[in-house]
Amino acid sequence: DTGLSGSDSVTVARRRAALAELEGALLVWHAYSGDGTRTLFVPPEICSPGEAPAPTLPPLVEIDLEPHVAPPWRHPDAIAWDLLTLLRIISNPQAPVWEVADTPPRWLRRALATRLWFRDKDGPPVGYLELMRALGLAEGILAIDDDAQPQRIVPGPHARTWRGRTFGAQTIRLRDRWLRLPSWVEGEPAGVVDVWGADWRGMRVRLLTALADHEIGLVQLKWVTLESVAVRLAARYPMLLGPSFMAATARLGGEAGAGASEEEARAAALSDVIGLELGGPFVWFGLSETLDSPGQPPAFRLTLAGAAMAARKTPP
C-alpha cells in the first residue's frame, strides 16, 4: 500500500515526495490492484539484487557523420514559442472553429504549417499538436467551451497570465507537466504501436533517468542510431511501461503473442514506444537531437541539457 490515503496532509505530502524520488531512481513503479487501489511494485532486481545474471544488451550502433552535418538550429524554448503561436491563432475572432475532436482540424494544421519551430514538409510533426493541446488544457492556456455546440477549443482562463511568463519559465513548466501526463497523447497519433495497461505517468521520468545509466553507454553529443538505443533500452528496462501491459505493434503484425513470443512482442512494442519518445518529445524539449541523413538510418544523440537532466544535475 502506498500510504497516500491518510488524513494527515503533511505526512501524505512527504510520502508522495519520497515515492516520487524512488520512482525517479527506478527503484519502484506505481501499480494498481484488482480493486483499483494504488500500490507499489518493486522490480525483482531491486528486491533480490545480484541474483539474476545481467542480460546481454544489444549493441549501440554509432554513426560517423560529416562535421558539417547538424540538425537545424531551433530556439531553446521552441515548444513554448510554438504554443504561444497556437494560442495567437485561435485567439483571432476570425479564425475557424476548433471543434473538440481526437485529430486537430486541417485548417489549423495549414495555419501552423510555416509558423512553427518544429515542422517538416508535411506540417507539424505527428503528435506535436496533440501534445500542445493536452499541455495547454492542463495549464489553463486553452479551454473547452462546453456551452458551444459543438464543443470547441478556446483560449483558457490563464492565457493572459501565461503570456507574461518568460519563455524559459514556460518551457520548464510545460516539460514538468509533460513528464507526468497520465496518457500517451504524443505517441498514439503515429499509429505505430497500441499499448494497454501502461503506467504512462511514470514512464517518461523513468526513461529520462535510464538515459544516464552507464550500462546503456550513451555519450552526450555522440551520434548513434535511434533504433539501436531504443532496442538497447527496451532490453535493459523491460518494465519501463510498468509491471504489466499488453501491446500490439505494426512491426510484428498483431497483439503480443501473435506471430512472435509474448516476450518478443512486448520488447518490440516497448522499443517502438521508446523510439517515438526519444525522436519526438525528447527532441521538442531540447533533451535530445535526431537527424535524417541521406544513406543513413535516423541518428540520435543526447544534448548537454538532456544528459544533465538524466543525471539529475542542473542543465547548462
Side-chain angles (χ1 to χ4, degrees):
D1 188 352
T2 59
L4 298 179
S5 58
S7 58
D8 186 344
S9 59
V10 175
T11 301
V12 170
R14 289 175 177 171
R15 288 177 179 171
R16 191 182 299 276
L19 292 178
E21 288 292 322
L22 291 172
E23 183 183 22
L26 305 179
L27 298 177
V28 299
W29 280 270
H30 285 291
Y32 294 87
S33 59
D35 61 0
T37 304
R38 186 162 68 167
T39 59
L40 293 179
F41 173 82
V42 182
E45 60 269 24
I46 302 300
C47 289
S48 305
E51 293 185 4
T56 301
L57 299 180
L60 282 179
V61 180
E62 295 187 2
I63 300 181
D64 292 325
L65 299 176
E66 297 295 331
H68 66 278
V69 177
W73 183 88
R74 294 186 178 96
H75 192 279
D77 302 306
I79 191 169
W81 187 307
D82 284 350
L83 182 54
L84 281 181
T85 300
L86 173 63
L87 176 63
R88 193 175 302 117
I89 288 176
I90 68 168
S91 298
N92 185 348
Q94 306 303 318
V97 172
W98 182 1
E99 295 183 10
V100 175
D102 293 335
T103 304
R106 189 173 300 176
W107 72 263
L108 182 60
R109 292 182 176 274
R110 288 198 301 266
L112 290 168
T114 61
R115 300 174 65 179
L116 297 178
W117 279 101
F118 287 104
R119 65 182 187 271
D120 51 35
K121 61 180 181 180
D122 298 321
V126 176
Y128 191 52
L129 293 186
E130 288 83 354
L131 178 59
M132 284 203 294
R133 166 181 152 157
L135 296 175
L137 289 173
E139 288 290 337
I141 308 165
L142 306 176
I144 297 176
D145 186 351
D146 293 320
D147 296 329
Q149 292 298 329
Q151 292 179 326
R152 61 191 63 180
I153 303 293
V154 296
H158 299 154
R160 185 178 299 275
T161 302
W162 182 263
R163 291 203 309 266
R165 299 176 184 267
T166 65
F167 278 125
Q170 291 175 9
T171 299
I172 291 173
R173 192 169 179 93
L174 293 174
R175 185 188 64 215
D176 292 345
R177 176 76 69 174
W178 158 67
L179 288 172
R180 293 295 181 181
L181 281 178
S183 59
W184 197 37
V185 295
E186 68 268 39
E188 291 176 354
V192 174
V193 56
D194 293 322
V195 181
W196 304 271
D199 173 24
W200 296 117
R201 192 182 297 275
M203 179 275 294
R204 302 171 184 88
V205 175
R206 292 193 290 268
L207 177 56
L208 177 60
T209 303
L211 296 177
D213 185 350
H214 293 296
E215 291 295 325
I216 298 300
L218 287 177
V219 178
Q220 61 192 32
L221 303 181
K222 183 70 175 179
W223 290 106
V224 297
T225 65
L226 178 59
E227 181 179 10
S228 70
V229 69
V231 171
R232 189 174 176 88
L233 282 163
R236 173 71 169 165
Y237 297 100
M239 290 182 289
L240 194 68
L241 295 181
S244 62
F245 67 91
M246 296 179 60
T249 175
R251 286 194 296 152
L252 295 182
E255 292 189 9
S261 69
E262 181 176 352
E263 183 178 354
E264 290 172 336
R266 285 165 60 88
L270 178 55
S271 65
D272 283 343
V273 169
I274 293 172
L276 287 168
E277 282 296 302
L278 296 183
F282 274 71
V283 174
W284 304 337
F285 281 101
L287 306 177
S288 66
E289 292 178 313
T290 57
L291 184 64
D292 288 323
S293 183
Q296 297 275 15
F300 165 88
R301 71 179 179 182
L302 269 179
T303 62
L304 295 174
M309 284 202 63
R312 299 194 163 201
K313 299 179 180 178
T314 302

